[in-house]
Short mmCIF file of all heavy atoms in Angstrom, two decimals:
data_model
loop_
_atom_site.label_atom_id
_atom_site.label_comp_id
_atom_site.label_asym_id
_atom_site.label_seq_id
_atom_site.Cartn_x
_atom_site.Cartn_y
_atom_site.Cartn_z
N ILE A 133 -9.43 28.19 -12.02
CA ILE A 133 -8.05 27.80 -12.36
C ILE A 133 -7.56 26.83 -11.29
O ILE A 133 -7.71 27.10 -10.09
CB ILE A 133 -7.13 29.04 -12.39
CG1 ILE A 133 -7.64 30.08 -13.37
CG2 ILE A 133 -5.67 28.66 -12.67
CD1 ILE A 133 -7.39 29.79 -14.82
N ILE A 134 -6.97 25.75 -11.73
CA ILE A 134 -6.44 24.79 -10.75
C ILE A 134 -4.92 24.72 -10.89
O ILE A 134 -4.40 24.57 -11.99
CB ILE A 134 -7.05 23.40 -10.98
CG1 ILE A 134 -8.56 23.46 -10.72
CG2 ILE A 134 -6.41 22.36 -10.07
CD1 ILE A 134 -9.31 22.26 -11.15
N GLN A 135 -4.27 24.86 -9.75
CA GLN A 135 -2.80 24.74 -9.73
C GLN A 135 -2.38 23.75 -8.66
O GLN A 135 -2.97 23.72 -7.58
CB GLN A 135 -2.16 26.09 -9.44
CG GLN A 135 -2.27 27.04 -10.62
CD GLN A 135 -1.39 28.24 -10.44
OE1 GLN A 135 -1.34 28.80 -9.36
NE2 GLN A 135 -0.70 28.62 -11.50
N THR A 136 -1.38 22.96 -8.98
CA THR A 136 -0.91 21.99 -7.99
C THR A 136 0.58 22.15 -7.74
O THR A 136 1.34 22.57 -8.62
CB THR A 136 -1.26 20.55 -8.42
OG1 THR A 136 -0.84 19.64 -7.41
CG2 THR A 136 -0.63 20.15 -9.74
N ASN A 137 0.98 21.86 -6.51
CA ASN A 137 2.40 21.90 -6.11
C ASN A 137 3.02 20.55 -6.45
O ASN A 137 2.68 19.54 -5.83
CB ASN A 137 2.50 22.16 -4.61
CG ASN A 137 1.89 23.49 -4.23
OD1 ASN A 137 2.44 24.54 -4.56
ND2 ASN A 137 0.73 23.44 -3.60
N VAL A 138 3.90 20.55 -7.43
CA VAL A 138 4.52 19.29 -7.85
C VAL A 138 5.77 19.05 -7.01
O VAL A 138 6.68 19.88 -6.97
CB VAL A 138 4.87 19.32 -9.35
CG1 VAL A 138 5.54 18.03 -9.78
CG2 VAL A 138 3.61 19.57 -10.19
N ILE A 139 5.81 17.90 -6.32
CA ILE A 139 6.96 17.56 -5.49
C ILE A 139 7.69 16.36 -6.10
O ILE A 139 7.09 15.33 -6.37
CB ILE A 139 6.54 17.29 -4.01
CG1 ILE A 139 7.73 16.83 -3.16
CG2 ILE A 139 5.41 16.27 -3.89
CD1 ILE A 139 8.68 17.93 -2.78
N LEU A 140 8.99 16.54 -6.32
CA LEU A 140 9.80 15.41 -6.79
C LEU A 140 9.96 14.46 -5.61
O LEU A 140 10.46 14.84 -4.55
CB LEU A 140 11.16 15.90 -7.29
CG LEU A 140 11.14 16.76 -8.56
CD1 LEU A 140 12.54 17.24 -8.90
CD2 LEU A 140 10.54 16.00 -9.75
N ASN A 141 9.51 13.22 -5.77
CA ASN A 141 9.50 12.25 -4.66
C ASN A 141 10.16 10.94 -5.06
O ASN A 141 10.11 10.54 -6.22
CB ASN A 141 8.05 11.97 -4.24
CG ASN A 141 7.99 10.93 -3.14
OD1 ASN A 141 8.71 11.02 -2.15
ND2 ASN A 141 7.17 9.91 -3.32
N ASN A 142 10.72 10.29 -4.05
CA ASN A 142 11.32 8.97 -4.25
C ASN A 142 12.50 9.06 -5.22
O ASN A 142 12.67 8.21 -6.09
CB ASN A 142 10.24 8.00 -4.75
CG ASN A 142 10.52 6.56 -4.37
OD1 ASN A 142 11.51 6.27 -3.70
ND2 ASN A 142 9.66 5.65 -4.81
N ILE A 143 13.28 10.13 -5.05
CA ILE A 143 14.39 10.42 -5.98
C ILE A 143 15.68 9.81 -5.45
O ILE A 143 16.05 10.04 -4.28
CB ILE A 143 14.60 11.96 -6.10
CG1 ILE A 143 13.27 12.67 -6.43
CG2 ILE A 143 15.69 12.28 -7.13
CD1 ILE A 143 12.64 12.30 -7.72
N ASN A 144 16.35 9.09 -6.29
CA ASN A 144 17.63 8.49 -5.93
C ASN A 144 18.58 9.56 -5.36
O ASN A 144 18.79 10.59 -6.00
CB ASN A 144 18.24 7.87 -7.20
CG ASN A 144 19.47 7.05 -6.89
OD1 ASN A 144 20.29 7.43 -6.06
ND2 ASN A 144 19.59 5.93 -7.56
N PRO A 145 19.13 9.32 -4.16
CA PRO A 145 19.97 10.35 -3.53
C PRO A 145 21.18 10.78 -4.35
O PRO A 145 21.73 11.87 -4.12
CB PRO A 145 20.42 9.69 -2.22
CG PRO A 145 19.37 8.70 -1.91
CD PRO A 145 18.87 8.19 -3.24
N ILE A 146 21.60 9.98 -5.32
CA ILE A 146 22.77 10.43 -6.09
C ILE A 146 22.40 11.37 -7.25
O ILE A 146 23.25 11.99 -7.84
CB ILE A 146 23.63 9.23 -6.63
CG1 ILE A 146 22.83 8.37 -7.60
CG2 ILE A 146 24.22 8.41 -5.49
CD1 ILE A 146 23.71 7.39 -8.38
N VAL A 147 21.12 11.44 -7.56
CA VAL A 147 20.70 12.32 -8.67
C VAL A 147 20.70 13.77 -8.18
O VAL A 147 20.07 14.10 -7.18
CB VAL A 147 19.30 11.94 -9.20
CG1 VAL A 147 18.85 12.89 -10.29
CG2 VAL A 147 19.30 10.51 -9.70
N LYS A 148 21.45 14.62 -8.88
CA LYS A 148 21.59 16.01 -8.39
C LYS A 148 20.97 17.04 -9.34
O LYS A 148 20.69 18.16 -8.94
CB LYS A 148 23.09 16.36 -8.24
CG LYS A 148 23.82 15.50 -7.23
CD LYS A 148 23.54 15.94 -5.79
CE LYS A 148 24.28 15.08 -4.78
NZ LYS A 148 23.46 14.17 -4.01
N ASP A 149 20.79 16.67 -10.59
CA ASP A 149 20.40 17.69 -11.56
C ASP A 149 18.97 17.46 -12.05
O ASP A 149 18.67 16.46 -12.70
CB ASP A 149 21.39 17.64 -12.75
CG ASP A 149 21.07 18.70 -13.78
OD1 ASP A 149 20.20 19.56 -13.51
OD2 ASP A 149 21.67 18.66 -14.87
N PHE A 150 18.09 18.39 -11.72
CA PHE A 150 16.68 18.26 -12.12
C PHE A 150 16.27 19.36 -13.09
O PHE A 150 15.09 19.62 -13.25
CB PHE A 150 15.78 18.34 -10.88
CG PHE A 150 16.20 17.45 -9.78
CD1 PHE A 150 16.75 17.96 -8.63
CD2 PHE A 150 16.07 16.07 -9.89
CE1 PHE A 150 17.15 17.13 -7.60
CE2 PHE A 150 16.46 15.23 -8.88
CZ PHE A 150 17.01 15.76 -7.73
N LYS A 151 17.27 20.02 -13.67
CA LYS A 151 16.97 21.21 -14.48
C LYS A 151 15.91 20.93 -15.55
O LYS A 151 14.92 21.63 -15.65
CB LYS A 151 18.25 21.70 -15.15
CG LYS A 151 18.69 23.05 -14.61
CD LYS A 151 19.73 23.75 -15.44
CE LYS A 151 20.96 23.14 -15.76
NZ LYS A 151 21.80 22.35 -16.24
N ASP A 152 16.14 19.83 -16.33
CA ASP A 152 15.26 19.57 -17.47
C ASP A 152 13.83 19.33 -17.02
O ASP A 152 12.90 19.94 -17.53
CB ASP A 152 15.76 18.35 -18.26
CG ASP A 152 17.02 18.69 -19.02
OD1 ASP A 152 17.33 19.90 -19.11
OD2 ASP A 152 17.70 17.77 -19.51
N ILE A 153 13.67 18.44 -16.05
CA ILE A 153 12.30 18.11 -15.63
C ILE A 153 11.65 19.32 -14.95
O ILE A 153 10.48 19.61 -15.17
CB ILE A 153 12.24 16.83 -14.77
CG1 ILE A 153 10.78 16.42 -14.51
CG2 ILE A 153 12.94 16.96 -13.44
CD1 ILE A 153 10.48 15.01 -14.79
#
Side-chain angles (χ1 to χ4, degrees):
I133 303 283
I134 296 169
Q135 287 193 317
T136 183
N137 299 290
V138 179
I139 175 75
L140 293 177
N141 177 49
N142 207 1
I143 309 298
N144 188 320
I146 63 167
V147 177
K148 298 282 180 251
D149 182 8
F150 310 109
K151 247 194 304 64
D152 288 347
I153 188 130

